[in-house]
PDB file of all heavy atoms in Angstrom:
ATOM      1  N   GLY I   5     153.143  31.974 -77.777  1.00 49.00           N
ATOM      2  CA  GLY I   5     153.950  31.205 -76.841  1.00 49.00           C
ATOM      3  C   GLY I   5     153.636  29.733 -76.874  1.00 49.00           C
ATOM      4  O   GLY I   5     154.516  28.920 -76.697  1.00 49.00           O
ATOM      5  N   ALA I 230     129.562 -68.555-108.126  1.00 95.00           N
ATOM      6  CA  ALA I 230     128.754 -69.743-108.422  1.00 95.00           C
ATOM      7  C   ALA I 230     127.641 -69.424-109.416  1.00 95.00           C
ATOM      8  O   ALA I 230     127.410 -70.171-110.395  1.00 95.00           O
ATOM      9  CB  ALA I 230     128.171 -70.309-107.132  1.00 95.00           C
ATOM     10  N   ASP I 420     166.378   6.826 -73.990  1.00 44.00           N
ATOM     11  CA  ASP I 420     166.206   5.398 -73.765  1.00 44.00           C
ATOM     12  C   ASP I 420     166.260   5.019 -72.300  1.00 44.00           C
ATOM     13  O   ASP I 420     166.053   3.867 -71.955  1.00 44.00           O
ATOM     14  CB  ASP I 420     167.284   4.618 -74.521  1.00 44.00           C
ATOM     15  CG  ASP I 420     168.682   5.086 -74.145  1.00 44.00           C
ATOM     16  OD1 ASP I 420     168.761   6.101 -73.432  1.00 44.00           O
ATOM     17  OD2 ASP I 420     169.667   4.435 -74.575  1.00 44.00           O
TER      18      ASP I 420
END
Side-chain angles (χ1 to χ4, degrees):
D420 55 352

